[in-house]
Structures are given as C-alpha cells and as structure tokens.
Amino acid sequence: KKSLKHIICTAITAAALGGAMGAHAALPSGVNVLVNPGFEDATIDPWAPEGGGVVVGITNAPKTGAQSGRVDFPGADGKGIAQDVSISGDDLLASYTVSCSVNNDSHTELIGYRIGVWEVGGTGGTVFNQSDWTWIAAGSSDWVDLSYTGTLTDPTATSIRAVVWVAPQGSPKAPGHFLVDDFSLIKGVEALPVGVNVLENPGFEEATIAPW
C-alpha cells in the first residue's frame, strides 16, 4: 500500500518531468525534481552509491512515510548516496536548494555530514558546491535536517548531482551505515524584473496573436 508521501512525491515528479522520459526540457522552478525522493518505491533506483565500497538500499525505518534509504559505508570519508539530474539551457548557472534528513542510527562514532549539488560532465571536471559539516554525536538515533543553497558556475555541465556523504571520526574509522529520507532538489524561482512590461506581444503588433 502506497503512503501519502509516495503519492504526493509521484504526482510532483510526474508534473515536473512531464510524466515521461524523453528529450530534456528545462527543469521547472519551485518543485522537487528528484525521482523517488522519499525512498518509498520498491527499489532504491535511481539513487546510486557515492564513493567506492558503498551499498545503498531501502529500509522500513523512516522519518516520514513507510521507508527511508539506507547507506552502508566502509571505514572511510566521502561515502554516501547521490542522484544525477540532466540539465541544459536555463538550468545552467541557476540556483538550487538541496535538502534531506539523516540519522546516525546509533553508529558508534561521531559522524560529519555534508550535502551538496555538484555540477557534473563539464569540460573542467566536477564542481563541488556543498555545505559546511554538520556533526552528529555517536550513538544518536535522532533525525537531523540538512540543507544547502548554491548557484551553478559551469556553463558546460550536463547534469547536477544531489548528494549527501559522511566523514566518520573514529581512529581507525569504523564501517557502518546511516539512514536518509525526504530528499529534495529545487531550482530557484527567478524573480520578474521590476518596472518593465514582461508580457510578449503586448501591443498586438506581431503577425499572429501568439502567445495570447
């Protein structure tokens, strides 16, 4: 049985992406453009491991809804979970807000978390737009909200990556896992200019009535 969170996320994703895969159109502003953002689907797809040795899956220990994502990591930094979204045109150089909730799930070490929206596929390599560290105490099982807003800088990027990753602080660093839920990636709404007419064909002087 699908939860209300799953139904809402599915409806938003369908509306945002036109309900079908195909040629990429500009991303809509003000809505979550991620697929399976609440981890309520039967599989983890299209989420993928970030970093070597990581295993990602779903679990029935959510913040909201019925499921969350689970990220099993080796004893090393820079391990997490990510999803890529294709961009072009007006998506480039726009601002984006990425957010999610994470849970140490009683891990035995202090863990640092970072969330980001990376620019991928550009001629200069990956651009790492990311938050400062958020530290969650060893043994904690509380959900903690993460968020980051940044503006893209690479006009040659072909996709953006919503990603969260960890830095366990043990010595040596212990392998473990964390939980993640309620991920979102939202393109900023561009404000209309002040004091100018923003209508097209306002004097009806074009050969057709469009876009009226």
Side-chain angles (χ1 to χ4, degrees), residues 123-167:
T123 56
T126 300
V127 178
F128 300 96
N129 308 300
Q130 55 203 22
S131 69
D132 294 331
W133 291 106
T134 295
W135 301 100
I136 302 180
S140 172
S141 57
D142 295 331
W143 286 96
V144 176
D145 297 333
L146 307 176
S147 184
Y148 170 78
T149 299
T151 300
L152 306 189
T153 60
D154 185 356
T156 66
T158 58
S159 63
I160 49 178
R161 179 170 298 164
V163 56
V164 62
W165 70 105
V166 296

Side-chain angles (χ1 to χ4, degrees), residues 44-153:
I44 193 69
D45 297 337
W47 294 97
E50 176 61 41
V54 175
V55 177
V56 297
I58 53 176
T59 181
N60 60 352
K63 179 185 181 186
T64 62
Q67 299 179 158
S68 64
R70 173 172 165 144
V71 183
D72 288 87
F73 56 85
D77 295 345
K79 310 299 182 180
I81 189 169
Q83 183 178 145
D84 286 1
V85 177
S86 296
I87 59 172
S88 64
D90 291 343
D91 303 332
L92 299 164
L93 310 184
S95 64
Y96 293 83
T97 297
V98 59
S99 61
C100 72
S101 297
V102 294
N103 188 325
N104 269 9
D105 203 23
S106 301
H107 186 67
T108 57
E109 297 175 351
L110 173 71
I111 298 182
Y113 288 83
R114 255 182 168 172
I115 190 171
V117 52
W118 298 351
E119 299 168 70
V120 180
T123 56
T126 300
V127 178
F128 300 96
N129 308 300
Q130 55 203 22
S131 69
D132 294 331
W133 291 106
T134 295
W135 301 100
I136 302 180
S140 172
S141 57
D142 295 331
W143 286 96
V144 176
D145 297 333
L146 307 176
S147 184
Y148 170 78
T149 299
T151 300
L152 306 189
T153 60

Side-chain angles (χ1 to χ4, degrees), residues 163-181:
V163 56
V164 62
W165 70 105
V166 296
Q169 296 299 294
S171 182
K173 299 177 186 293
H177 71 271
F178 69 91
L179 308 179
V180 58
D181 206 356

Side-chain angles (χ1 to χ4, degrees), residues 1-14 34-43 45 58 64-67 181-182:
K1 183 178 179 180
K2 295 183 178 179
S3 70
L4 178 60
K5 182 176 74 171
H6 181 273
I7 295 169
I8 293 172
C9 289
T10 301
I12 291 174
T13 300
L34 295 176
V35 177
N36 193 16
F39 304 95
E40 297 296 328
D41 289 348
T43 70
D45 297 337
I58 53 176
T64 62
Q67 299 179 158
D181 206 356
D182 297 337

